[in-house]
Amino acid sequence: MDNYTIIKAECKGTFKERLMQLYMKVGNYLDSEKLEGRKIQFSKIFLSDAQNQYQKLIDSDLYQEQLSKAATTVVEQAPADGSKIAILLKTSDQEPDFLFHSIRLTNDETNGMNSYTQTIMLFEKYLRLIKEQGLTLTENCVRTWLYVSDIDNNYQGVVKARNQIFASYGLTIDTHFIASTGIGGNSHSRSACVAMDFLTYPNITEANKTYLKALDYLNPTHEYGVAFERGTRLDTGDKQQFFISGTASIDKHGNVVYVGDVLRQTGRLLENIGALLKDGGATMNDVQYFIVYLRDFSDYLPLEKFMQEAFPEKPYIIVHAKVCRPEWLVEMECSAIKY
């Protein structure tokens, strides 16, 4: 059985002091998971200031002794509660059946390159890696994350590059796309305006995947020029996994709903997520965790109260990350499992 949790530093002390807090918290958690026969498979680390924090993280005992033992990714999306660093952890009693590629560009690679060119470079790096293992983008890639700095200005270049790559590999409206989140975020490379993560399953075929639509609630993404699936269900024999893409307050015509009201937008996007899960035979009870992307820090307190009341038992984290349309104040993604 897989298990997810989110562990945060206390909102006080220097960054190094918070790393030490997390070293103890994560260590205690992994010890308790070990008693249940589970060990770490993956971590996602959210930083508030990658330029100043990334190397300290990589050099820390937290990373060297605990997190680096499994797949990991680091992104600058500040935890909205002020904790500076938070970690999404996945543990399991099984060996990993997936590959996770966290691909970043260096300052030398990105110097003078725009978001379109950087996105092409990131995809090409990933494609070379999986080709060496006899895998393909079309069949084996199940989920992507695209982190875009200054997303209001750089997103269109990312969209153009992804559409071009997908078309060249036969990913179209007549075949399928890939579940994805395209969201504001930064890497530790100062001149990089795009970073990407890829989730790949080597031992699957197209028959293992079902693409979730919920057309009574959301329109197909290609209708507004982007290429991703709203969600994907992956059947692997012992369980069904649901990968719900970044979802916002949108209706079946592609219109932004409840402009200017973060709580009503939250209600609508959760309705959309529920419809996507239902399309694959799951419910909100099957959700393992939420990542909540918030455009405006000042909306944190009412949104935190909403999430506490709506999902008191589920792990979630609210991070500062702009959504690809300025009118969207909040976006969420989640993962669900049915055994």
Side-chain angles (χ1 to χ4, degrees):
M1 180 173 289
D2 299 339
N3 196 29
Y4 291 87
T5 193
I6 291 168
I7 302 178
K8 305 174 185 178
E10 296 176 15
C11 298
K12 61 181 180 180
T14 66
F15 185 69
K16 283 190 174 183
E17 289 171 338
R18 298 185 199 209
L19 288 173
M20 284 302 301
Q21 295 168 14
L22 283 178
Y23 177 74
M24 299 300 295
K25 286 185 176 183
V26 171
N28 290 337
Y29 177 77
L30 293 180
D31 285 346
S32 66
E33 287 293 279
K34 186 176 181 180
L35 295 175
E36 301 295 327
R38 291 187 291 264
K39 61 182 180 180
I40 188 170
Q41 277 196 348
F42 168 75
S43 66
K44 184 167 192 172
I45 306 164
F46 303 89
L47 298 179
S48 60
D49 180 2
Q51 292 297 308
N52 287 304
Q53 297 166 349
Y54 178 79
Q55 196 57 51
K56 293 176 183 176
L57 166 69
I58 298 303
D59 293 338
S60 70
D61 291 341
L62 169 69
Y63 186 83
Q64 294 292 328
E65 297 180 16
Q66 296 171 339
L67 303 181
S68 66
K69 306 304 180 184
T72 187
T73 183
V74 182
V75 61
E76 182 185 308
Q77 289 174 331
D81 64 356
S83 55
K84 286 186 181 292
I85 176 172
I87 305 169
L88 168 66
L89 280 174
K90 177 188 178 184
T91 55
S92 180
D93 57 7
Q94 300 177 338
E95 291 300 314
D97 57 352
F98 62 89
L99 301 173
F100 189 88
H101 296 91
S102 181
I103 302 183
R104 304 293 187 263
L105 298 173
T106 66
N107 286 322
D108 288 341
E109 289 174 310
T110 57
N111 189 28
M113 301 293 183
N114 60 21
S115 62
Y116 167 83
T117 304
Q118 290 188 25
T119 305
I120 294 289
M121 293 169 67
L122 288 161
F123 268 108
E124 288 178 343
K125 283 189 173 217
Y126 169 70
L127 290 164
R128 285 195 296 271
L129 288 170
I130 62 170
K131 184 178 180 180
E132 293 172 357
Q133 300 177 65
L135 307 177
T136 68
L137 175 72
T138 304
E139 189 160 70
N140 301 105
C141 185
V142 173
R143 183 74 162 85
T144 64
W145 291 261
L146 297 84
Y147 309 110
V148 188
S149 68
D150 189 13
I151 194 169
D152 292 341
N153 291 306
N154 287 326
Y155 187 62
Q156 285 308 308
V158 174
V159 168
K160 180 181 177 181
R162 178 172 59 181
N163 289 354
Q164 181 177 313
I165 289 283
F166 281 7
S168 69
Y169 281 85
L171 293 166
T172 70
I173 60 174
D174 298 317
T175 57
H176 70 87
F177 296 122
I178 296 169
S180 186
T181 299
I183 197 72
N186 294 295
S187 72
H188 59 282
S189 297
R190 183 170 298 182
S191 60
C193 56
V194 190
M196 291 187 68
D197 292 336
F198 299 83
L199 181 62
T200 310
Y201 282 79
N203 300 313
I204 62 169
T205 67
E206 197 58 30
N208 297 111
K209 293 181 281 185
T210 300
Y211 300 103
L212 311 177
K213 305 297 183 184
L215 295 178
D216 288 339
Y217 290 82
L218 304 108
N219 68 323
T221 61
H222 69 83
E223 289 185 358
Y224 53 95
V226 292
F228 70 93
E229 294 292 342
R230 297 288 188 188
T232 301
R233 187 186 77 196
L234 183 64
D235 301 320
T236 55
D238 61 330
K239 62 188 174 185
Q240 294 179 329
Q241 297 182 79
F242 297 77
F243 302 99
I244 302 300
S245 300
T247 303
S249 180
I250 191 171
D251 66 16
K252 66 180 180 179
H253 304 294
N255 300 314
V256 179
V257 185
Y258 305 125
V259 173
D261 190 327
V262 69
L263 293 183
R264 295 187 75 186
Q265 285 196 13
T266 302
R268 176 58 196 233
L269 74 83
L270 287 168
E271 189 177 4
N272 291 343
I273 287 174
L276 289 166
L277 290 169
K278 183 179 179 180
D279 194 41
T283 71
M284 284 292 193
N285 290 331
D286 300 307
V287 171
Q288 302 298 298
Y289 67 87
F290 292 100
I291 300 177
V292 186
Y293 301 105
L294 186 62
R295 184 177 183 89
D296 184 346
F297 256 142
S298 67
D299 287 326
Y300 168 67
L301 289 178
L303 190 56
E304 171 68 13
K305 183 174 185 291
F306 179 100
M307 292 298 293
Q308 285 180 348
E309 293 175 352
F311 302 104
E313 304 299 325
K314 292 196 183 295
Y316 68 86
I317 182 169
I318 303 174
V319 297
H320 188 216
K322 289 186 176 181
V323 189
C324 61
R325 290 196 207 179
E327 297 84 2
W328 278 327
L329 303 178
V330 61
E331 179 172 304
M332 286 193 209
E333 66 173 72
C334 67
S335 178
I337 299 177
K338 284 191 71 174
Y339 291 96

